[in-house]
Amino acid sequence: MDMTFGNRLASIRKERKVSQSDLGIKAGVHANLIGRYERDEAIPSVEVASKIADALSVSLDYLVGKADKQVDQTLLDKVLSIQQLPDEDREHIMYSIDGLIQHAKTRLAYKK
């Protein structure tokens, strides 16, 4: 069963332990409107949905149901930082990350 925007919003908000009032303040909308979104009585504009996603530290795609996995914002910030480095530095970092990922996968395989 696909979750509606309102169901997903309520679920994420509760998971993050954020009140409707606090979310409204962070997103710049009234708490009553957050409640209406959660009950699927209203649909936010893309701009408001984006602000809500930012306030909850999730991607807009995840919030609206276009992505099934949440993107870890800290991880995304690191990837964006790496992307801005010179090519040579980026290649060295990616090589190191590939090695660490392979090591972790091997370790997990032997734990089974």
Side-chain angles (χ1 to χ4, degrees), residues 10-35:
S11 175
I12 296 167
R13 181 182 61 75
K14 290 172 185 174
E15 179 182 299
R16 299 276 195 278
K17 296 181 171 81
V18 176
S19 70
Q20 288 180 344
S21 180
D22 287 342
L23 179 56
I25 291 168
K26 289 179 181 179
V29 298
H30 198 279
N32 289 343
L33 198 49
I34 298 294

Side-chain angles (χ1 to χ4, degrees), residues 21-102:
S21 180
D22 287 342
L23 179 56
I25 291 168
K26 289 179 181 179
V29 298
H30 198 279
N32 289 343
L33 198 49
I34 298 294
R36 291 188 65 213
Y37 295 152
E38 289 183 357
R39 292 186 303 275
D40 291 311
E41 296 174 357
I43 298 173
S45 67
V46 173
E47 180 181 323
V48 171
S50 179
K51 288 179 182 179
I52 291 171
D54 288 346
L56 292 171
S57 298
V58 297
S59 71
L60 182 56
D61 281 349
Y62 182 76
L63 181 62
V64 299
K66 293 188 85 50
D68 291 333
K69 302 269 184 199
Q70 292 186 51
V71 176
D72 181 322
Q73 191 61 46
T74 303
L75 183 59
L76 181 58
D77 290 344
K78 288 179 191 289
V79 169
L80 293 173
S81 293
I82 292 168
Q83 190 173 5
Q84 295 173 1
L85 295 172
D87 289 345
E88 185 177 350
D89 292 332
R90 194 170 51 233
E91 288 174 21
H92 289 293
I93 292 170
M94 294 307 290
Y95 181 79
S96 297
I97 290 173
D98 287 342
L100 292 168
I101 291 170
Q102 185 59 47

